Amino acid sequence: MLVLLALGAASVWWLQQPLNPGPETLELAIEPGTTPREVARLAVAAGARSDARLLYAWFRLSGQDRLIKAGNYEIPPGTTPRSLLQKLVRGEETLLAFTLVEGWNFRQVRAALARAEQLKPDAASLSDEALMAQLGRPGVAPEGRFFPDTYTYAKGSSDLAILRRALHAMDRQLAAAWALRAPDLPLRSPDEALILASLVEKETGLAADRARIAGVFINRLRAGMLLQTDPSVIYGLGTTFDGNLRRRDLLADTPWNTYTRPGLPPTPIAMPGKAALLAAVQPERTRALYFVARGDGSSEFSESLDAHARAVRRFQRGQ
């Protein structure tokens, strides 16, 4: 009887002892299909101070050994056998974060994915066309199709999984915005709203101006005027743009040059955020047809070409 009591007391004591008494956090990777016995061995191999057979016995005696989930886990200092099993059963994986920034184009998205910590680069070898086909959108350009937000992921996750989540998030945000659109907009589809929102995103330096900028674009579309928005021209120039937009660039015809081609460009030019999406479908009612940057992030709006020319001289040429 005394022996049994001693064994029971020893077991309770052991369950409360740290598997990781040191200052370093241990990393434990469990692949799908790994047996509980192998999980115990991997934990010890990762640095957990225990006999693997004893740890496996605890998994078995708990009755939860078959509930252990695959994943990537951290074993911080002070983790006990009891808390380790709880973490593994709950699937409390170590998560990293990846952020897509409003206004990024898809080249910037790819570059950020390549820099992401412990993210499997499955998309890196795919062309844009092959990537979108892999995501279930064959024939759709990737530009602007991913919602800018922060996405968490487990170590070793595929970058395609991040893109798939961001793609579906944009689907939801665009559908929600389109459902709230103002009547009589010169926009024929959610895709056109997405394109307009990307222009608004790139042109807006001050949040308070966003809806009015959208209103200017809507007015110009209604009037059949060229949109003449510099960010679309820059996008069309691609990697040849050196940071200095010249007059010859405005005359260089590309599908995205809104100085040479009427209407909206054929695709978005960047990822718009929620506020830009809503501004595109709920533009401010304004008579303005022009705007120019003031140099402080805000814009000066004008109703006539003469007033716009004066604003350009004042804010961009210092006259």
Side-chain angles (χ1 to χ4, degrees):
M1 183 66 179
L2 290 176
V3 173
L4 292 175
L5 289 173
L7 287 173
S11 297
V12 171
W13 174 85
W14 177 79
L15 288 173
Q16 297 173 349
Q17 298 308 299
L19 291 168
N20 180 14
E24 300 291 333
T25 294
L26 308 178
E27 294 189 356
L28 173 61
I30 303 174
E31 297 293 333
T34 303
T35 66
R37 186 188 299 275
E38 183 67 8
V39 170
R41 191 195 67 76
L42 289 171
V44 173
R49 294 190 181 180
S50 174
D51 186 291
R53 292 170 296 181
L54 186 59
L55 195 56
Y56 171 61
W58 157 236
F59 292 164
R60 288 291 305 276
L61 289 172
S62 72
Q64 296 181 298
D65 55 317
R66 297 296 175 183
L67 301 179
I68 292 174
K69 297 177 175 63
N72 294 277
Y73 299 92
E74 290 184 348
I75 307 176
T79 300
T80 66
R82 188 185 299 276
S83 61
L84 174 62
L85 180 59
Q86 291 173 343
K87 180 190 288 283
L88 301 181
V89 168
R90 292 172 181 167
E92 297 174 356
E93 292 189 75
T94 303
L95 297 179
L96 301 172
F98 177 76
T99 300
L100 292 174
V101 179
E102 294 174 354
W104 272 3
N105 61 38
F106 196 59
R107 290 195 307 275
Q108 292 171 298
V109 172
R110 279 191 177 275
L113 287 172
R115 296 191 302 267
E117 183 182 0
Q118 299 192 50
L119 190 61
K120 189 177 178 182
D122 291 326
S125 61
L126 299 176
S127 66
D128 287 357
E129 294 77 11
L131 184 150
M132 293 304 288
Q134 186 76 14
L135 296 178
R137 303 292 171 83
V140 176
E143 198 64 73
R145 294 289 170 176
F146 304 95
F147 187 69
D149 202 349
T150 295
Y151 300 89
T152 57
Y153 63 95
K155 295 178 181 179
S157 296
S158 170
D159 53 6
L160 288 173
I162 296 287
L163 291 175
R164 187 172 287 106
R165 289 166 58 193
L167 177 67
H168 293 161
M170 182 59 86
D171 289 344
R172 294 191 297 271
Q173 293 290 343
L174 180 57
W178 185 248
L180 298 173
R181 66 189 183 279
D184 302 324
L185 290 179
L187 302 174
R188 297 170 295 181
S189 67
D191 278 3
E192 290 195 349
L194 181 63
I195 294 170
L196 177 58
S198 75
L199 302 180
V200 172
E201 187 68 67
K202 295 300 289 184
E203 283 282 17
T204 302
L206 185 68
D209 288 342
R210 191 177 282 115
R212 185 173 294 183
I213 287 173
V216 170
F217 285 138
I218 289 294
N219 287 346
R220 293 177 76 92
L221 287 172
R222 284 187 174 131
M225 298 173 65
L226 294 171
L227 293 184
Q228 296 183 321
T229 172
D230 292 354
S232 68
V233 176
I234 293 169
Y235 180 83
L237 294 173
T239 56
T240 65
F241 180 63
D242 62 5
N244 184 20
L245 190 65
R246 303 171 178 83
R247 179 173 178 79
R248 68 171 181 265
D249 297 325
L250 301 180
L251 299 176
D253 185 52
T254 75
W256 291 271
N257 190 333
T258 51
Y259 282 79
T260 61
R261 300 199 181 194
L264 294 166
T267 71
I269 63 170
M271 296 184 300
K274 183 176 181 178
L277 288 169
L278 288 175
V281 297
Q282 295 180 348
E284 180 178 319
R285 292 187 178 276
T286 176
R287 296 176 63 182
L289 291 169
Y290 308 89
F291 62 88
V292 64
R294 288 173 173 160
D296 61 358
S298 64
S299 296
E300 178 76 10
F301 296 86
S302 304
E303 296 180 14
S304 69
L305 184 57
D306 287 344
H308 177 60
R310 289 193 297 272
V312 170
R313 289 195 297 270
R314 176 183 176 188
F315 294 107
Q316 292 197 344
R317 300 174 186 170
Q319 299 176 1

